[in-house]
Amino acid sequence: MAKKKKIKRKELLKEPDEFLTLSSRLFNWVTTHQRQLAYAGVAVAGLFVLYVAGYLYYRHLNKEAQGRYNAAYEAMAANMKPDSDPKAWEKTESLFMEVVNRYSLSRVSRLALPQAAYAAYRERKYDEAIKLYQQFLSKIGEEADYQMLTQMALAACYEAKGDYSKSIQLLEPLSQEKANPFRELAMISLARVYRLADRSKDSKRTLKQFIEEFPNSPFLPLAKALLAKHKA
């Protein structure tokens, strides 16, 4: 049996555009037959054609947006190193922002926002990252897990800016919320920011609470190491 040749992405992009070909035919058909539709009393058929064209556009939009999102994600994955050059993240941010701005109606547009924000953070453009995270926060509604993660990301941005008070303001309720699935990380982050803000007593108190409440946490060695620095 002959081996099936895999179609490359570049070859797919060269194929006729499904939306432009079919939807243009549908719109032309409605324009040409609008008098017949009106006289026949079946104008609803024209509306149906327009609906189908709109559906095809939306499907086309999602397909193209997903391709752009995948390209941006690949660029981000290639840069996921602690010491990567901030300038290397410029392209990644621009790719995600293209999805956000050009394909705002697509399913992946909302998901591209926090990715673009993270890229801006890695570029050390903290104000821009904060703006994008806040924009994402306004779009996710009552999805608690996303809200908590976004608030932690915002806290990290404020910490990087040196605005420790705002970082603490975000992290304190997250570290106290028992239902927060990311509570361990929030407490570790809070203890670190307390220390940076010269609030050593609060930092030690948070670390001791962490060690007591999470004896099996993967962050336990880090908590103990941070506590040891206070005693040094």
Side-chain angles (χ1 to χ4, degrees):
M1 183 181 292
K3 185 176 181 181
K4 188 176 180 180
K5 183 180 178 181
K6 184 177 180 181
I7 302 175
K8 297 181 179 179
R9 182 181 297 176
K10 291 183 179 179
E11 294 174 343
L12 285 172
L13 293 174
K14 292 179 182 179
E15 294 180 3
D17 191 304
E18 179 189 35
F19 162 67
L20 294 177
T21 302
L22 186 52
S23 64
S24 61
R25 289 179 184 174
L26 290 169
F27 278 109
N28 289 336
W29 186 89
V30 173
T31 303
T32 304
H33 295 82
Q34 58 182 337
R35 178 175 296 179
Q36 293 92 320
L37 287 171
Y39 284 128
V42 290
V44 67
L47 295 175
F48 174 74
V49 170
L50 293 175
Y51 169 80
V52 172
Y55 167 76
L56 288 173
Y57 171 71
Y58 187 69
R59 189 175 68 175
H60 164 85
L61 189 70
N62 276 309
K63 181 179 179 181
E64 186 173 334
Q66 184 67 60
R68 299 284 185 177
Y69 180 88
N70 291 345
Y73 197 87
E74 288 174 6
M76 183 179 73
N79 292 331
M80 290 297 287
K81 301 174 183 176
D83 57 347
S84 60
D85 187 348
K87 291 184 178 180
W89 286 89
E90 289 182 7
K91 181 181 178 181
T92 301
E93 183 188 0
S94 66
L95 288 171
F96 279 120
M97 287 308 299
E98 181 184 12
V99 177
V100 173
N101 296 323
R102 188 175 176 184
Y103 305 98
S104 59
L105 296 178
S106 67
R107 290 188 298 265
V108 295
S109 174
R110 188 180 71 165
L111 296 177
L113 268 173
Q115 311 288 13
Y118 178 70
Y121 172 84
R122 293 298 299 267
E123 291 175 72
R124 298 172 187 166
K125 293 158 57 176
Y126 304 122
D127 287 330
E128 184 174 334
I130 289 168
K131 180 181 177 180
L132 291 171
Y133 276 128
Q134 288 174 336
Q135 189 177 345
F136 177 66
L137 197 59
S138 69
K139 291 179 178 292
I140 57 179
E142 300 299 322
E143 299 180 53
D145 288 357
Y146 282 124
Q147 286 182 344
M148 292 176 183
L149 278 173
T150 306
Q151 288 167 352
M152 289 177 64
L154 282 167
C157 291
Y158 283 119
E159 178 189 345
K161 274 187 67 173
D163 193 341
Y164 303 132
S165 61
K166 285 190 177 180
S167 182
I168 290 170
Q169 186 178 355
L170 286 164
L171 289 170
E172 282 181 335
L174 291 172
S175 66
Q176 295 166 7
E177 177 57 60
K178 300 290 185 181
N180 180 8
F182 317 106
R183 185 168 173 245
E184 295 175 43
L185 187 55
M187 290 182 71
I188 288 290
S189 299
L190 179 60
R192 182 183 63 252
V193 181
Y194 274 148
R195 186 169 182 269
L196 292 170
D198 294 325
R199 294 174 58 176
S200 182
K201 289 183 179 179
D202 290 325
S203 180
K204 287 190 286 185
R205 171 181 52 79
T206 303
L207 290 169
K208 289 177 180 178
Q209 181 185 354
F210 179 92
I211 293 169
E212 182 180 344
E213 291 190 24
F214 303 105
N216 299 315
S217 171
F219 300 113
L220 186 64
L222 176 59
K224 290 181 176 180
L226 290 173
L227 186 60
K229 287 184 178 180
H230 286 289
K231 296 177 180 179

